[in-house]
Amino acid sequence: MTRFVIAPQWQGSSSSRAMQLIDGAEAIAGDLPRAATTTLEAPPEAGDAQGTRVLRASALVRMRERIHDAVAAVHGEHAVTIGGDCGVALGAVSAVAGDDLAVLWIDAHADLNTPESSPSGAFHGMVLRAIIGDGIDPLRLSPGIPPSRVVLAGTRAVDAEEQRFIDEHGIRVIPAAGLSDPESLADAVVATGAARVHVHVDLDVLDPAEIAGVALPEPFGARAADVAAAIRRLRARVPLAGATITEFSPSTPAAAVDDLGTILRLVGALA
């Protein structure tokens, strides 16, 4: 049975709706099997940068440790970590990392900034770069997942430093429209040579017509049905080491209901 880890972290977000990520995580948790779900407590305080360029770094470090421990405790099955902001992926990936792991980043944004290049200082825009091994300790993976084993999918909002990094390292990128081919994700991950994959889904990868409860929507996104079908096909070809679903911040708890059917379709593909 798949295990679920609920991580209502908001401190990595740059959005004015950041604390609504707590409501989003709780809404998703309400539709998951209770016996298979572990809910983590996020630090109540915002945290501080501790002399770094990462906002709220102290709270993020504490959550990385909690998420890592919860995911590492899952044996004989995989964990789906439910955020919260994209920063929860650092702890989730660190718990399953190895030299045979690929990371598939299904997200409208590349999240490849460094603390120096980030326009906001928010960790959710740096977390994939931290998984690759760049950034500050202890908010980075060491050793990191090399760019040759990273695949971006549905990515369409990229900062200049992120694009430079993608181009320099030849990171594979599947456009949102390409997800209509169910073999697209599997082909890209198989091409990395990895034996396992962690799949990260930021809900803003979806077209705004598909989902309302995201704080940073981007036009021309993917269809939920296409993403779910591509993930299922990937799982038929490459073992799933773990997954994350993030950035659900409904405008109100009541409004969360409108998006839950779409989100649970993705949960089902990963579980």
Side-chain angles (χ1 to χ4, degrees):
M1 178 186 295
T2 302
R3 301 290 304 183
F4 299 95
V5 175
I6 310 301
Q9 172 181 291
W10 58 271
Q11 289 92 338
S13 175
S14 61
S15 170
S16 60
R17 287 166 49 173
M19 293 196 71
Q20 288 164 302
L21 291 165
I22 300 172
D23 297 332
E26 292 175 348
I28 297 171
D31 278 320
L32 301 177
R34 186 170 300 178
T37 301
T38 299
T39 300
L40 305 179
E41 183 178 351
E45 72 277 5
D48 61 61
Q50 295 188 314
T52 73
R53 295 189 180 187
V54 180
L55 297 178
R56 310 182 184 117
S58 61
L60 296 169
V61 169
R62 289 168 63 188
M63 275 302 283
R64 178 203 171 161
E65 294 167 350
R66 293 174 188 178
I67 295 165
H68 174 103
D69 291 348
V71 173
V74 174
H75 299 291
E77 49 202 356
H78 70 268
V80 177
T81 301
I82 308 290
D85 64 71
C86 284
V88 303
L90 178 60
V93 173
S94 70
V96 299
D99 59 10
D100 62 343
L101 184 75
V103 172
L104 171 59
W105 203 258
I106 308 176
D107 194 324
H109 307 90
D111 298 343
L112 282 170
N113 272 300
T114 65
E116 291 72 31
S117 71
S118 170
S120 68
F123 186 63
H124 71 168
M126 312 176 197
V127 60
L128 182 54
R129 191 71 172 264
I131 288 169
I132 289 171
D134 295 334
I136 62 165
D137 289 322
L139 288 174
R140 68 182 185 98
L141 198 58
S142 182
I145 305 298
S148 61
R149 284 194 268 118
V150 171
V151 177
L152 293 169
T155 307
R156 54 198 186 277
V158 181
D159 292 334
E161 165 60 17
E162 296 176 311
Q163 189 62 57
R164 182 202 65 77
F165 190 82
I166 291 167
D167 294 343
E168 178 181 333
H169 293 279
I171 294 176
R172 296 169 178 85
V173 182
I174 302 168
L179 294 171
S180 61
D181 175 4
E183 297 290 344
S184 59
L185 298 185
D187 287 346
V189 172
V190 168
T192 70
R196 303 177 298 139
V197 61
H198 178 98
V199 177
H200 169 82
V201 180
D202 181 330
L203 293 168
D204 67 21
V205 75
L206 301 177
D207 191 84
E210 296 263 309
I211 191 166
V214 294
L216 300 170
E218 297 289 344
F220 310 113
R223 296 174 62 243
D226 291 342
V227 175
I231 289 172
R232 289 193 179 95
R233 183 59 187 144
L234 168 65
R235 293 190 62 191
R237 295 175 61 186
V238 183
L240 187 63
T244 40
I245 297 180
T246 64
E247 300 287 348
F248 183 40
S249 57
S251 57
T252 67
V257 175
D258 297 334
D259 289 325
L260 281 175
T262 298
I263 295 168
L264 292 175
R265 184 177 218 165
L266 300 175
V267 172
L270 292 166

